[in-house]
Amino acid sequence: MSDQPAPGRYETAPLAKERWTLGVVQSRIHAAADAAEQAANLRHMLHLIDNACHYGGGPDLLLFHEFPISGWDTWTRAEAEARCIEIPGPEVAAIAAKAKEYGTWIAFGAYVRDPDWPGHILSLTTLIDSDGEIAATHWKARNVKGLFPGFELFTTTIYDVLDEYVERYGADAVLPIARTPLGNLTMSQTQLEPELMRGLAIKGAEVILRTASGGFTETDIAATALYNRVYCAVANNALLLPEGPYFQDTGAGGSAIYGPDGKVIAKADKFETMLTAPIPIAEFRARHLQPDIHWDLVRGVFDGYTSRFAPNLFSEYQPESLDDAARYVAGRSRWS
């Protein structure tokens, strides 16, 4: 007798409750100039967790955006590394204490320094469970290359060290699913990659938690929900602090929660706020199947496709700055 799910089904863990509440926290962002400002960002994040749970139990899961602790700026590698956290570490411990205090799950993005990956700066989203334990850490799958004029992102993603990543963690970890008592959750910082979201849905993602900073494409989030018939939420930053190096409203707002029909359940403006939506996970799971894809029609096209940039570009070299990354990536396109 096979342990594999029947066709159309997927692997799950038992549910703790039939229905739970998702909270998306759209918080202000500030590029921390030093350790004191980074500590202030963390205190503000903890304050918002208190606010979310002030009137009773609060949401069962709180999703924060991509960089609530450090913020983002055009830092060099050394400057960004100084703003990295470690997992586990004191910042995670402080957030985990709040998760345990309120009995809520918390997901957030951060720059991360990992001793197992010396010299690399990672962009991870971490999930802490209601007991204050780390339930999952999901790497960013890829950074888009060839998009920004004059610079490239230098954080190391799965695609940038794909072979070594698979060797260390296994192929299953490339598209990770956290099978939790709240349902099958996955976290992603990647935008405009529908094939990636489809792959996660095929593996059984029921709620896709996406983080952003400085904006995203609403259609991309709605389409993820609609095409895969899953719940999809995105947490973006609120207005920037006015003393920062950018306009206050640059890319701010629009955090949202979409249902499996692709329609918005809740949506934010540009200000600091929290959205909530019920996730009737038991009812959803009872009727939900993998995406219905006529794969035989398109398999040959995908088999013959060559991606613009090869994987593993950062296996041998980690750029020192945004412009150094641009110089390094230039000329490495596999497209003529």
Side-chain angles (χ1 to χ4, degrees):
M1 184 175 177
S2 174
D3 292 329
Q4 293 294 320
R9 299 291 180 176
Y10 49 89
E11 184 180 349
T12 61
L15 297 173
K17 53 179 65 178
E18 293 190 352
R19 184 184 184 93
W20 56 274
T21 300
L22 171 62
V24 174
V25 179
Q26 180 172 283
S27 65
R28 74 189 189 205
I29 191 171
H30 176 60
D34 50 32
E37 290 192 355
Q38 182 143 321
N41 285 347
L42 175 61
R43 287 194 300 272
H44 183 66
M45 182 181 177
L46 299 176
H47 171 70
L48 293 181
I49 297 171
D50 289 336
N51 286 359
C53 301
H54 182 68
Y55 292 108
D60 296 283
L61 190 153
L62 288 172
L63 173 64
F64 282 82
H65 60 80
E66 198 170 16
F67 300 120
I69 298 174
S70 65
W72 186 89
D73 205 348
T74 54
W75 293 312
T76 64
R77 171 174 294 276
E79 290 169 336
E81 186 172 11
R83 292 160 175 83
C84 285
I85 67 170
E86 292 188 355
I87 303 173
E91 296 87 356
V92 175
I95 296 167
K98 290 294 183 184
K100 186 174 183 179
E101 176 183 354
Y102 294 116
T104 188
W105 295 59
I106 300 174
F108 67 98
Y111 282 129
V112 175
R113 177 176 53 251
D114 188 337
D116 290 338
W117 292 88
H120 294 272
I121 295 175
L122 311 178
S123 177
L124 304 187
T125 305
T126 298
L127 179 66
I128 299 173
D129 69 20
S130 55
D131 293 322
E133 300 295 329
I134 297 171
T137 54
H138 291 175
W139 285 40
K140 189 173 186 180
R142 64 100 176 103
N143 283 324
V144 64
K145 292 181 172 64
L147 175 66
F148 303 110
F151 76 89
E152 299 283 352
L153 300 176
F154 55 70
T155 48
T156 298
T157 67
I158 293 175
Y159 193 73
D160 294 319
V161 289
L162 181 60
D163 290 348
E164 187 176 358
Y165 182 92
V166 171
E167 182 179 352
R168 292 189 185 203
Y169 308 124
D172 185 61
V174 173
L175 297 179
I177 306 293
R179 296 175 177 89
T180 79
L182 297 180
N184 285 2
L185 311 178
T186 191
M187 303 172 290
S188 179
Q189 312 91 321
T190 304
Q191 311 298 331
L192 299 174
E193 188 87 48
E195 296 81 12
L196 177 67
M197 299 299 141
R198 177 57 60 88
L200 290 164
I202 290 172
K203 288 190 67 177
E206 296 170 319
V207 182
I208 298 179
L209 304 173
R210 300 177 64 171
T211 61
S213 56
F216 60 93
T217 302
E218 292 182 9
T219 305
D220 181 39
I221 312 301
T224 294
L226 175 62
Y227 294 161
N228 300 299
R229 298 292 178 179
V230 298
Y231 288 90
C232 187
V234 60
N236 191 31
N237 60 277
L239 294 170
L240 312 183
L241 293 184
E243 66 269 23
Y246 307 103
F247 287 105
Q248 191 176 3
D249 67 348
T250 300
S255 298
I257 304 170
Y258 288 85
D261 58 0
K263 296 180 180 178
V264 65
I265 301 173
K267 184 179 178 182
D269 201 337
K270 294 179 179 292
F271 301 100
E272 191 167 75
T273 190
M274 180 179 69
L275 308 171
T276 61
I279 308 294
I281 190 65
E283 177 186 356
F284 169 82
R285 180 175 288 181
R287 54 183 168 75
H288 182 61
L289 298 171
Q290 292 176 315
D292 183 8
I293 307 167
H294 296 87
W295 182 239
D296 301 275
L297 291 175
V298 298
R299 182 198 304 271
V301 174
F302 279 88
D303 287 345
Y305 178 77
T306 299
S307 55
R308 184 179 178 186
F309 292 94
N312 305 308
L313 287 183
F314 290 176
S315 293
E316 301 296 331
Y317 180 72
Q318 293 82 53
E320 295 301 319
S321 63
L322 297 173
D323 56 349
D324 184 37
R327 288 191 295 269
Y328 176 65
V329 171
R332 285 178 166 77
S333 172
R334 298 192 290 193
W335 296 357
S336 58

